[in-house]
Amino acid sequence: MTKKIISLIALSAMPFVQAQIESPIPPAAEVPEKMNIIKTNVTAYAFRNFNLTYERSLNQWFSLTIGFGTMPEGKVPFINSFLDEDDERQFQNLEIKATNFTLEPRFYIGHGYGKGFYFAPYYRYSSVESNDFDFYYNFQPVNGIVYPIPLMGKGEAGGHSGGLMVGAQFFLNKAQSLVLDFWIAGAHYGTGKGDFALTSDIFLTPEMQAQLKKEIEDLDVPFVDYTVETNTEGARIKVDGPWAGFRSGLSIGYRF
């Protein structure tokens, strides 16, 4: 009798067991990828460059990045790297402010969705504007006496350029919400235009103008082509030529 009861229980349980085999418990849904990153290049703050970048992943290997940076008015960074001490002394109280806008598609290799090594061709617009600064040059006529000539300067310039950057981006925590973006190296090249004026209260003779023109041309500012025109009131410097720059740094961001 007992064997019959056990057999009946086993037979009645068979459909339930078969149903469990045929219809296993569905797996937990996969966590969707976070497609947005907001970040800032912390190394740029050492140069007064306050910046913010937004990156949007469109698929595993491709994203689009938009960045904006601004540098409030202040001393020219690294001015002594392209002007010697004598030339630098000619500029009194010179300060500049600058802005830049960058559009950057990224191509990831490896992990993707904003992680791993990437190649990034980019477009950048940048502009620079000076304050009202003082410029001095020493006029030396044939009699050998040196006359310091003061001038007041002001101007602005802007450039469009394209370039390529190589970098790597990593997630810093288990939730993959904290981001470190390492700009390994980037460089851009393009064209720029600008206009700077130097004016003096002193009437400049042709000889004075010739010496002033040579003085400005001998400054030899790197990566920029400019021409100098002089008149009785001062000089006009026109920027029209190459516009180049470099990019490198570390960005910290939040992924969501």
Side-chain angles (χ1 to χ4, degrees):
M1 183 68 178
T2 303
K3 291 182 177 179
K4 290 183 178 180
I5 293 173
I6 293 172
S7 299
L8 288 172
I9 293 173
L11 289 172
S12 63
M14 286 296 293
F16 175 77
V17 173
Q18 185 177 3
Q20 292 303 307
I21 295 173
E22 293 176 352
S23 303
I25 297 174
E30 293 184 2
V31 179
E33 290 287 345
K34 300 172 183 178
M35 308 295 277
N36 306 284
I37 300 174
I38 294 289
K39 51 194 167 182
T40 184
N41 181 359
V42 293
T43 52
Y45 287 82
F47 312 109
R48 305 194 321 276
N49 189 333
F50 302 96
N51 61 92
L52 191 65
T53 298
Y54 169 69
E55 179 178 356
R56 170 71 180 182
S57 294
L58 301 180
N59 56 38
Q60 184 172 356
W61 55 270
F62 180 74
S63 71
L64 187 62
T65 297
I66 299 174
F68 176 78
T70 182
M71 184 173 69
E73 191 170 289
K75 297 294 184 180
V76 181
F78 306 114
I79 188 172
N80 54 4
S81 65
F82 54 87
L83 292 180
D84 59 33
E85 291 184 7
D86 292 335
D87 290 337
E88 189 177 348
R89 277 195 292 268
Q90 292 181 273
F91 294 89
Q92 301 293 316
N93 65 286
L94 171 63
E95 296 186 346
I96 62 168
K97 59 182 178 180
T99 59
N100 64 75
F101 169 81
T102 307
L103 182 63
E104 176 186 296
R106 288 187 171 188
F107 299 88
Y108 283 89
I109 56 176
H111 296 282
Y113 288 112
K115 182 180 181 182
F117 286 92
Y118 60 82
F119 296 91
Y122 63 91
Y123 159 80
R124 168 167 283 197
Y125 171 76
S126 50
S127 63
V128 179
E129 182 179 347
S130 79
N131 65 334
D132 294 322
F133 63 92
D134 297 312
F135 178 84
Y136 292 86
Y137 89 101
N138 293 321
F139 171 61
Q140 188 171 2
V142 293
N143 60 14
I145 301 175
V146 176
Y147 300 93
I149 306 296
L151 298 102
M152 177 68 72
K154 185 176 178 60
E156 59 184 7
H160 301 268
S161 53
L164 177 67
M165 185 170 69
V166 178
Q169 188 158 265
F170 309 95
F171 303 148
L172 300 178
N173 60 343
K174 189 175 181 180
Q176 299 187 353
S177 57
L178 296 179
V179 175
L180 175 66
D181 187 6
F182 177 27
W183 298 357
I184 298 173
H188 50 274
Y189 184 86
T191 60
K193 288 183 179 295
D195 200 344
F196 291 82
L198 295 171
T199 57
S200 177
D201 294 333
I202 299 174
F203 181 89
L204 301 182
T205 66
E207 188 179 5
M208 289 178 173
Q209 294 179 43
Q211 285 195 20
L212 175 61
K213 178 180 174 68
K214 186 177 186 306
E215 195 81 18
I216 298 172
E217 290 176 341
D218 288 346
L219 291 174
D220 194 24
V221 180
F223 307 118
V224 177
D225 282 350
Y226 59 92
T227 58
V228 182
E229 299 175 357
T230 56
N231 53 48
T232 57
E233 297 179 348
R236 184 178 181 185
I237 302 107
K238 293 183 179 180
V239 177
D240 189 359
W243 189 274
F246 301 93
R247 295 175 68 192
S248 185
L250 286 173
S251 292
I252 299 294
Y254 177 73
R255 183 171 180 253
F256 60 97

